Amino acid sequence: VVDPAGNKQNKDNDNSVMLVVGIDALENLMIIDIIRDKLTAESKFTSLLELYGKYMPKTVYYEQLSMQADISLLENQMGRVNIRFPIIPFDMRKCGSKTQKIMKLQAPLMTGKIYFPEYAYHTNYRGEYENMINSLKVEEYYGFPAISHDDGLDALASAYQLLLGGSKEPIE
């Protein structure tokens, strides 16, 4: 699930989030990997290609509004490296505000239906090797709703809704 932010790397800008998730036989959502960072247009593709090559997911969901700005670069870059994968747009606006979507995660989080790995290390936009799972928990999860950025939780809520929440139509 890709929920990209703008293309500027500024500490005050939102984070782009790329979540690799799986579902087990008991319909638990397993977070396998995450990139949560301030990404340029080029680094969005590089990060997506890295995750796709590592995990080969069946589906790549991409937030529809941001996809409109990114799709031509994504298609050009896929052609350049001779790798193609399906990208399916999704629009979660019909599911309510970000806060409403994130609040719907309370029950599955409290009942152990969402699993976090211990770590997911990636080099961030500042060149630092960062455990992005820890950053998601500390900067968003533990302080919600009194936080400045909720991009990771928003992407997690989208993933949960798309894969387990009954939404069979990613876009309207």
Side-chain angles (χ1 to χ4, degrees):
V1 173
V2 180
D3 192 351
N7 294 325
K8 294 183 180 173
Q9 292 179 319
N10 178 310
K11 68 179 179 67
D12 297 324
N13 288 0
D14 285 344
N15 291 302
S16 290
V17 179
M18 298 180 184
L19 276 174
V20 179
V21 297
I23 301 169
D24 69 9
L26 299 174
E27 293 198 339
N28 295 309
L29 186 78
M30 317 296 278
I31 299 171
I32 298 166
D33 205 343
I34 181 174
I35 293 177
R36 179 188 162 276
D37 202 5
K38 286 135 184 27
L39 302 174
T40 64
E42 182 73 30
S43 61
K44 283 180 203 175
F45 176 74
T46 303
S47 297
L48 182 55
L49 185 62
E50 171 193 333
L51 291 174
Y52 186 83
K54 186 173 182 180
Y55 298 106
M56 303 298 282
K58 291 181 188 177
T59 307
V60 175
Y61 288 107
Y62 208 100
E63 196 277 323
Q64 182 179 12
L65 292 175
S66 299
M67 183 176 169
Q68 294 170 2
D70 295 345
I71 193 64
S72 63
L73 176 66
L74 289 170
E75 288 174 347
N76 288 337
Q77 294 289 41
M78 282 193 282
R80 184 179 61 78
V81 298
N82 200 26
I83 293 177
R84 302 270 183 219
F85 48 87
I87 299 175
I88 299 173
F90 71 90
D91 183 354
M92 297 304 289
R93 292 176 297 172
K94 63 185 174 211
C95 297
S97 70
K98 274 187 175 187
T99 302
Q100 289 170 323
K101 287 189 319 185
I102 294 167
M103 294 300 284
K104 291 177 186 176
L105 289 175
Q106 281 186 321
L109 285 165
M110 292 176 73
T111 57
K113 299 293 286 177
I114 298 176
Y115 290 86
F116 292 84
E118 190 173 327
Y119 55 84
Y121 282 98
H122 296 280
T123 302
N124 66 26
Y125 81 104
R126 294 180 305 270
E128 301 165 345
Y129 199 54
E130 176 183 341
N131 181 352
M132 297 196 176
I133 289 293
N134 188 56
S135 298
L136 171 66
K137 288 178 176 179
V138 170
E139 295 172 17
E140 296 186 34
Y141 179 63
Y142 296 145
F144 183 82
I147 54 176
S148 58
H149 294 287
D150 57 7
D151 312 300
L153 290 175
D154 184 38
L156 181 58
S158 294
Y160 192 83
Q161 180 65 30
L162 284 165
L163 301 173
L164 293 168
S167 176
K168 300 301 180 199
E169 298 292 327
I171 61 172
E172 291 184 328

